[in-house]
Amino acid sequence: MKDTRLKFIFYILSAFLLTIMLFTSRDAGISCDEILHYNHSVSVYNYFATHGGDHSALITPVTHLMYYGQSYDNVVTILTRWFNIDDVYGFRNLMSSLIGWLAIFITAIFAIWLKNYRTGLIVLFLFAVSPTFMGHAQNNLKDVPFAFAYIAGTFFTLKFLSGGSKTSIRDSLLLTLSIAFCISIRVGGLLLICYLFFFFLVYYFFKLFNEKKILINEISQKLIWIIGISVAALLLSIVLWPYALQNPFTNILRSYRVMAHYPDTFRQIFEGKVEWSDYMPWYYLIKSMGITIPVVVLSGLITFIILIKKVLNDGKALLYGFIIFSIIFPILFVILEKSHLYSSWHQFLFVYPGIVLLASIAFSTLFESIKKRNFLWVAVVIEFIISFHPLKFMFLNHRYDYMYYNQLVGGLNGAYSNYETDYYYVSQTEASEWLIDYLKQNNITGPVKVKATYSVQWQFRNHPEIETSYFRYEERSQSDWDYAIVVNRYISPYQLKNKIWPPENAIHIIYADKVPICAIMERRSKDDFSGYNALSEGRNKAAIDYYKNVLLVDDGDEMIFYNFAAALYNDGQYLKADSVLKRGLEINPDFEPILMYLGNIARAQNKPDEAIRYYERVIGANRKYFEAYVGLSELLISSDVTRARELLRICLTMSPRYKPAIIALADTYRNSDPEIAKKYDDLANTIN
């Protein structure tokens, strides 16, 4: 097909893809990250609106968002304020889809520059069948814009270097803006400046090696441009970043150190087990990508490797090498640095355009190498066939595209209870819409209390009669609510596998690919809440009565059994308390509070072996349940002091200022080495 015709088709399909993306963004859900970043963008807006008087954007001890430039979030919020846009999140979703399309489009232009329009068309197709990227493009104003800036920066870096002695002012300006935009979103964009210098050195080294001459004027001119581009990009990157504006050099470096070793850690399901993000296996990122990237794209990468000699025959081996480096280096860096990774690979969406680019080049090269027309059509048909799985998922679950898992793990059904699904709480939006309609249809107009596993305040903003607030699902019996919206994040894999969740009092369940991702619950009784209040006030007999009543209508809440046992134990009914706790473990065998309680009871009853087993189970279920380390070490001091100290040191490695562990460690030296014991005592005294 002639290039002019392919060019026409390319732009038509690009426009069509943009239309589809903008259209589907209209009913996109609100993610938990989106809420955090929008709230911070409001603080940033207020900072500039008050000429630096409002410092809330500079004080973020919980979210750490002052270390993010998040410029795209900030720009979108500025637009909503300037144009008085009421549907804030609807507009945000629209703008997220727009920047997502730009990431796709610039990748396709990159492919056309490297090869031809057919390759650009393949880029459009592979992105169109990429549920993870397309899902994030609906509501991720941090990672998707960063992906756009990263691939654009890589593209214009290569254009800048390959221009030889002629430096295009337009390309230099676009490169400057790309780098600035990248850094302004996330400080990791500094990589593009590093790439610029590194690629420059490598490019001219190879040029010297091939041409056997030193191009002093060209090299010096390029170097001056590179320095100017880097300085200009750094200055532009902090324009909408209050924290960096306070002290550009120091605070940018400080932000980089914080982001490289993110201070917060999260528990998540991986390979069927719950683990903390700072203790994920080294291959966490690679496997997360491998089981969520469509097989058609993975097959493109394999094809690239197989056809590497043919791909490199066009004289652009060095350019392809730079692209490969831009993909592999960040992945290797975080693996070697042991950075905290969580929620699949959303932080690494920025390498995906490069992956699609290589896969597209491989397919294009494959099609070119097939001389017989019939065989060519067979290859094209095969590509479409292996694209059916993600296409079907997107068609049936377009609001939840980002939850896609490929055939390597049996799709979303195979991943359920083994890997995270709705880690962004996107389904809470649909759940809120359903609950609002349900209350209206049933004429429930009085004050209603709705709890949710993440904020749904925005979804209920037009319903003042409904009070919304956050709660932890496992602590639901300890708070007052009428209805609850619960996403399957932080639900025990045991409960997911054994269909204990969704609970029996769920009045509506939201599914993605026949997998339950969110439940709307209606409270059947508030006796559990009354029982908790009675227990807290020391009215144990009243608490016992309340818990007996609530178990008649709700026997699927492990915390009820925990608190019921506490009331029984306080009332002297020790055997019954033990029995009730073990009933709680039938619901969730890894419920740490119950395991810890059983260990404490066994210890109080002078059953050290039994207590040790329970404490070990606690640590096995949650390596950061620090109280268990202290309890276990105290039981081991007399029989195995070496292991007791080792346990406490492991505990203090994770939490250096955990005072009970420091005191317990001092106790292990109390008789054998009083001086060491005193040092630990002195350290403990410095902690409030």
Side-chain angles (χ1 to χ4, degrees):
M1 192 179 291
K2 290 184 178 180
D3 213 40
T4 52
R5 189 177 299 176
L6 285 175
K7 181 178 179 180
F8 176 76
I9 294 172
F10 170 77
Y11 282 105
I12 290 295
L13 290 181
S14 295
F16 178 72
L17 182 60
L18 173 61
T19 304
I20 293 296
M21 291 178 69
L22 294 179
F23 179 78
T24 55
S25 74
R26 296 187 310 164
D27 63 348
I30 300 171
S31 76
C32 58
D33 261 17
E34 203 177 0
I35 294 170
L36 289 175
H37 285 278
Y38 169 64
N39 290 338
H40 184 66
S41 70
V42 172
S43 297
V44 171
Y45 179 88
N46 292 336
Y47 171 85
F48 288 109
T50 60
H51 305 288
D54 186 332
H55 281 194
S56 57
L58 303 173
I59 307 169
T60 59
V62 177
T63 63
H64 313 294
L65 288 182
M66 67 181 182
Y67 300 111
Y68 289 89
Q70 64 160 66
S71 62
Y72 195 67
D73 275 275
N74 299 337
V75 167
V76 172
T77 295
I78 289 169
L79 292 175
T80 60
R81 294 301 178 95
W82 284 358
F83 295 101
N84 296 316
I85 297 172
D86 293 327
D87 187 4
V88 171
Y89 285 97
F91 182 66
R92 285 174 61 86
N93 294 342
L94 192 74
M95 294 298 287
S96 182
S97 295
L98 175 62
I99 198 73
W101 177 83
L102 285 173
I104 296 170
F105 187 72
I106 197 68
T107 306
I109 295 296
F110 198 169
I112 293 166
W113 179 73
L114 283 169
K115 205 161 179 64
N116 51 40
Y117 275 98
R118 177 166 59 187
T119 313
L121 284 168
I122 297 173
V123 167
L124 295 182
F125 174 74
L126 292 184
F127 267 111
V129 297
S130 296
T132 299
F133 186 88
M134 298 299 278
H136 278 281
Q138 293 183 347
N139 53 23
N140 189 333
L141 279 77
K142 176 185 64 176
D143 299 307
V144 172
F146 190 80
F148 162 71
Y150 188 80
I151 192 64
T154 305
F155 175 38
F156 291 118
T157 293
L158 300 193
K159 285 196 74 177
F160 171 81
L161 291 175
S162 60
S165 57
K166 295 181 180 180
T167 300
S168 166
I169 294 177
R170 187 192 70 173
D171 288 345
S172 300
L173 178 60
L174 291 172
L175 175 58
T176 304
L177 293 174
S178 298
I179 295 174
F181 188 41
C182 203
I183 298 170
S184 74
I185 296 167
R186 223 162 56 197
V187 73
L190 288 169
L191 270 178
L192 289 178
I193 292 180
C194 298
Y195 289 170
L196 185 56
F197 280 94
F198 176 64
F199 290 176
F200 164 76
L201 291 173
V202 174
Y203 183 84
Y204 280 99
F205 173 81
F206 272 86
K207 199 165 187 178
L208 171 63
F209 182 80
N210 291 325
E211 299 180 8
K212 309 298 182 184
K213 61 180 180 179
I214 301 175
L215 306 170
I216 298 296
N217 290 335
E218 183 178 325
I219 291 173
S220 58
Q221 184 188 54
K222 287 287 186 185
L223 186 58
I224 291 170
W225 272 99
I226 286 172
I227 293 170
I229 287 169
S230 301
V231 172
L234 278 171
L235 293 175
L236 286 172
S237 71
I238 64 174
V239 170
L240 292 177
W241 187 0
Y243 180 68
L245 286 172
Q246 309 306 303
N247 191 330
F249 182 75
T250 301
N251 286 356
I252 286 177
L253 289 179
R254 188 172 294 161
S255 296
Y256 171 77
R257 286 195 294 268
V258 171
M259 292 297 103
H261 295 281
Y262 196 68
D264 289 343
T265 59
F266 307 90
R267 297 181 77 188
Q268 54 196 323
I269 302 174
F270 186 71
E271 296 180 336
K273 299 178 181 178
V274 177
E275 185 53 278
W276 289 91
S277 55
D278 51 339
Y279 282 91
M280 284 290 148
W282 67 267
Y283 56 83
Y284 170 80
L285 175 60
I286 297 172
K287 184 169 185 180
S288 295
M289 295 175 73
I291 61 180
T292 54
I293 292 175
V295 170
V296 64
V297 177
L298 295 178
S299 65
L301 288 181
I302 295 170
T303 305
F304 185 88
I305 296 170
I306 294 172
L307 300 179
I308 189 71
K309 287 186 178 180
K310 286 191 175 184
V311 171
L312 301 183
N313 277 342
D314 61 1
K316 296 177 181 177
L318 188 58
L319 298 182
Y320 291 133
F322 288 152
I323 295 167
I324 294 169
F325 181 86
S326 72
I327 296 168
I328 294 177
F329 176 76
I331 295 173
L332 288 179
F333 179 80
V334 298
I335 291 174
L336 295 174
E337 281 286 298
K338 299 179 180 178
S339 300
H340 301 172
L341 299 173
Y342 55 92
S343 299
S344 194
W345 56 286
H346 76 274
Q347 303 107 316
F348 275 76
L349 281 175
F350 67 91
V351 302
Y352 192 63
I355 290 172
V356 171
L357 179 61
L358 294 183
S360 301
I361 289 168
F363 282 132
S364 185
T365 304
L366 174 65
F367 297 154
E368 287 173 1
S369 66
I370 299 174
K371 302 304 180 183
K372 292 187 177 181
R373 192 176 183 85
N374 289 340
F375 289 167
L376 176 61
W377 279 110
V378 169
V380 171
V381 169
I382 290 174
E383 184 178 348
F384 274 98
I385 289 173
I386 58 178
S387 302
F388 180 73
H389 189 266
L391 272 173
K392 179 184 176 183
F393 182 88
M394 295 171 75
F395 180 77
L396 297 175
N397 311 279
H398 81 274
R399 294 184 85 167
Y400 308 114
D401 286 347
Y402 90 101
M403 297 181 211
Y404 175 77
Y405 284 86
N406 62 32
Q407 300 96 311
L408 298 180
V409 288
L412 185 58
N413 280 275
Y416 183 69
S417 78
N418 292 310
Y419 301 94
E420 292 292 340
T421 52
D422 194 8
Y423 56 82
Y424 257 170
Y425 299 87
V426 173
S427 57
Q428 286 196 158
T429 301
E430 183 180 349
S432 299
E433 293 166 357
W434 184 92
L435 183 55
I436 290 169
D437 288 340
Y438 175 83
L439 295 175
K440 183 178 180 180
Q441 291 172 8
N442 288 275
N443 295 318
I444 302 173
T445 57
V448 176
K449 293 183 178 180
V450 175
K451 291 283 186 180
T453 43
Y454 205 83
S455 174
V456 289
Q457 183 179 359
W458 177 263
Q459 289 90 328
F460 288 90
R461 67 192 182 282
N462 295 323
H463 300 273
E465 75 281 4
I466 301 174
E467 175 190 323
T468 67
S469 56
Y470 162 82
F471 78 159
R472 294 178 63 195
Y473 176 68
E474 66 181 32
E475 296 174 351
R476 59 194 180 279
S477 63
Q478 299 178 176
S479 56
D480 185 15
W481 54 274
D482 302 302
Y483 297 90
I485 297 172
V486 180
V487 170
N488 63 6
R489 182 82 191 267
Y490 296 119
I491 305 296
S492 161
Y494 177 86
Q495 294 184 327
L496 297 177
K497 289 178 188 292
N498 292 279
K499 299 183 179 180
I500 296 172
W501 190 92
E504 291 183 359
N505 61 332
I507 56 174
H508 184 70
I509 300 170
I510 294 171
Y511 294 89
D513 208 24
K514 300 180 181 179
V515 163
I517 57 174
C518 185
I520 298 97
M521 298 156 47
E522 184 174 36
R523 200 167 201 162
R524 294 174 175 174
S525 169
K526 291 190 178 182
D527 282 340
D528 50 357
F529 181 54
S530 299
Y532 175 70
N533 287 333
L535 177 65
S536 302
E537 295 165 2
R539 297 183 289 113
N540 295 301
K541 291 189 181 299
I544 290 170
D545 290 336
Y546 281 124
Y547 285 124
K548 283 181 179 178
N549 290 334
V550 78
L551 286 176
L552 297 175
V553 294
D554 184 2
D555 61 354
D557 184 341
E558 57 267 54
M559 187 62 79
I560 289 177
F561 288 101
Y562 174 81
N563 287 326
F564 186 16
L568 290 168
Y569 195 85
N570 293 342
D571 196 50
Q573 301 182 51
Y574 306 126
L575 290 176
K576 189 173 285 189
D578 185 81
S579 175
V580 166
L581 287 171
K582 288 174 180 174
R583 280 185 64 192
L585 289 182
E586 293 175 7
I587 302 168
N588 184 358
D590 292 329
F591 191 59
E592 302 130 27
I594 288 182
L595 291 172
M596 191 70 199
Y597 202 171
L598 285 167
N600 291 340
I601 290 174
R603 184 178 178 185
Q605 294 175 346
N606 198 26
K607 299 176 182 177
D609 292 341
E610 185 178 338
I612 287 172
R613 286 195 296 272
Y614 279 120
Y615 291 147
E616 288 175 339
R617 283 181 64 182
V618 174
I619 295 170
N622 180 2
R623 70 171 73 235
K624 292 188 179 183
Y625 206 96
F626 303 129
E627 184 184 347
Y629 288 88
V630 175
L632 182 55
S633 66
E634 288 173 347
L635 289 173
L636 293 172
I637 287 177
S638 58
S639 60
D640 192 348
V641 69
T642 301
R643 187 186 172 205
R645 290 169 181 164
E646 181 184 356
L647 284 164
L648 292 169
R649 289 192 177 106
I650 291 172
C651 176
L652 291 171
T653 298
M654 294 181 284
S655 181
R657 294 181 64 81
Y658 185 58
K659 190 171 182 177
I662 297 172
I663 295 171
L665 193 55
D667 290 340
T668 67
Y669 290 101
R670 196 75 63 193
N671 297 324
S672 60
D673 198 330
E675 289 187 10
I676 294 179
K678 185 177 183 305
K679 289 180 181 179
Y680 283 115
D681 286 333
D682 292 342
L683 176 61
N685 289 332
T686 65
I687 302 171
N688 295 326

